[in-house]
Amino acid sequence: SYSEQDISASEMDPVDVDYLITSGNLVNINRTICCGGDDETFFIDSVDFEISLRLKNNGYRIVKAPGAHLKHSIGEKFSPQGFFSFLKLERHSPLRFYYMVRNHFVLCKRYNKTFTLFCLKKKLSMLYEIGQAILFFPDKKEYYKAIMQGKADAKAGIMGKRKGGFL
């Protein structure tokens, strides 16, 4: 917990950023609605990145209060067996991983020209996530299916919540 004495004036000055995660975010609803609102077809993953980039494309600022802190964790803590047991990873279900992959491809296709650096970072992050799943998760086949289905659905423009079973 922070008190006003713990935070310097410079830490209170807002800083412009390209995006913020939704958790702990204060949103100007009118500006968001003017830009089309949340793209609910992203369902679960990257909704926050998409609206941030769309707001920026429409001339709005995304600002961060550097003195604000939020402890936030997604995924289940996971350590591989054997030689790599020292690694501390976060693991998502294959279904959540499907959404992560699918929405990553759609987001980067949509914003690669206007937010090239963001998309490059996102691609590197996704490669890291995919590498973890393929190398260390015990149910590699399920994650491989999720990756391939997410990529295929992104290419086909299939968005929203998956209907029926998974894969």
Side-chain angles (χ1 to χ4, degrees):
S1 158
Y2 291 94
S3 69
E4 288 183 34
Q5 293 82 18
D6 295 333
I7 301 171
S8 69
S10 64
E11 288 181 302
M12 296 298 284
D13 293 337
V15 175
D16 284 90
V17 295
D18 284 334
Y19 63 90
L20 288 172
I21 63 170
T22 304
S23 302
N25 199 340
L26 300 175
V27 177
N28 184 314
I29 299 297
N30 290 334
R31 289 182 181 167
T32 303
I33 290 170
C34 286
C35 293
D38 286 333
D39 184 342
E40 295 178 10
T41 66
F42 272 74
F43 188 74
I44 294 182
D45 213 85
S46 293
V47 176
D48 39 15
F49 296 136
E50 197 286 325
I51 191 62
S52 291
L53 299 178
R54 192 155 23 100
L55 285 164
K56 294 276 293 186
N57 265 348
N58 282 279
Y60 295 111
R61 294 171 61 204
I62 308 294
V63 295
K64 176 182 174 183
H69 298 277
L70 173 70
K71 286 186 178 185
H72 181 61
S73 177
I74 57 172
E76 156 195 336
K77 301 292 183 211
F78 175 79
S79 291
Q81 298 294 315
F83 182 76
F84 293 101
S85 62
F86 64 91
L87 293 174
K88 304 296 179 223
L89 309 174
E90 284 189 354
R91 180 176 160 190
H92 307 279
S93 72
L95 179 59
R96 174 70 191 270
F97 208 78
Y98 158 82
Y99 288 118
M100 289 169 64
V101 169
R102 182 197 66 185
N103 295 354
H104 157 78
F105 279 104
V106 171
L107 188 73
C108 287
K109 182 179 180 186
R110 190 178 290 179
Y111 293 103
N112 194 48
K113 286 188 168 96
T114 51
F115 294 97
T116 307
L117 183 60
F118 168 83
C119 288
L120 177 62
K121 289 178 188 176
K122 190 90 170 76
K123 288 172 186 176
L124 292 172
S125 174
M126 184 52 57
L127 279 174
Y128 175 75
E129 295 282 343
I130 288 171
Q132 279 184 177
I134 298 300
L135 292 172
F136 300 117
F137 295 174
D139 39 358
K140 294 170 185 14
K141 286 183 183 178
E142 291 301 309
Y143 284 91
Y144 181 76
K145 287 185 210 174
I147 292 162
M148 298 313 288
Q149 188 68 57
K151 187 175 177 183
D153 285 358
K155 188 174 183 177
I158 299 170
M159 295 294 286
K161 184 177 179 179
R162 266 192 77 77
K163 307 285 190 267
F166 178 63
L167 311 171

